[in-house]
Amino acid sequence: MLGMLGTQLAGLATARPLGAFAVAARALASARRIHCLGLRASHPVAWHLHYVLTLIGKPSVLIDGIAAIGADALVDAAAGDVLVAVSLQPYTRLTLELAEHAAARGLAILAITDSEVAPLARICKYPLIIPTASPSFLHAVTPAFAAAEVLAALVAGQDGKAALAALRRTDAHLAALGT
């Protein structure tokens, strides 16, 4: 399994995925607001991306399912925003429905998904297709985490000075709290 994950991660470093990462990162860096959505097994990937984006000072909103009010986070969503939707097989219907709703409101959809024919891939502007094959009975999520980390690093690199300033503010805040 570790060998397969290594191969999958190495595959993300080839020309086609790298180009897709670069285009997606530019879209995130210039977004008015970034909405991160991942439900069920995809939730940790979306949460991690959201968390890192906030650390580097990007306006990110996590859409989750606590108390069934997750979709309420889209109330002020508008053109100029990007929805990052993470959905791996078996696909969660609500993720697709929320992505379709966001697209209808003018948001660009960035999909982290596992197939060019996945439901999200059909409606997104920025597809990041990642492998999930595994010798286990569970799909591999590691490549999706790697995709989120690469995106965050590339977004930070778009305006390194602002990202460093945001990280300094965060570090000072956490130090004041004794974290």
Side-chain angles (χ1 to χ4, degrees):
M1 185 168 189
L2 292 173
M4 180 176 274
L5 288 172
T7 300
Q8 290 171 337
L9 294 176
L12 293 178
T14 60
R16 185 174 180 202
L18 287 176
F21 278 118
V23 170
R26 282 192 295 275
L28 292 179
S30 65
R32 182 183 75 99
R33 185 178 303 138
I34 302 163
H35 304 267
C36 297
L37 170 64
L39 302 175
R40 304 187 60 82
S42 299
H43 175 76
V45 176
W47 182 90
H48 185 66
L49 178 60
H50 161 73
Y51 176 67
V52 176
L53 289 172
T54 62
L55 290 178
I56 61 172
K58 289 299 177 186
S60 178
V61 175
L62 179 65
I63 301 171
D64 61 17
I66 295 175
I69 64 166
D72 293 3
L74 291 170
V75 69
D76 292 323
D81 291 0
V82 175
L83 172 71
V84 178
V86 184
S87 184
L88 309 173
Q89 194 176 41
Y91 309 111
T92 304
R93 179 174 291 147
L94 182 56
T95 300
L96 179 62
E97 291 170 355
L98 290 174
E100 289 172 335
H101 174 73
R105 295 189 63 170
L107 278 71
I109 309 301
L110 188 162
I112 298 175
T113 193
D114 55 4
S115 170
E116 292 179 0
V117 295
L120 277 179
R122 292 182 287 122
I123 67 161
C124 73
K125 183 173 184 177
Y126 306 105
L128 293 178
I129 309 301
I130 54 97
T132 59
S134 169
S136 165
F137 59 93
L138 299 171
H139 295 287
V141 181
T142 301
F145 268 107
E149 290 180 340
V150 168
L151 275 177
L154 290 172
V155 170
Q158 297 287 317
D159 188 355
K161 289 182 182 181
L164 285 174
L167 287 169
R168 285 187 190 103
R169 286 191 307 274
T170 299
D171 285 346
H173 171 73
L174 294 176
L177 294 173
T179 302

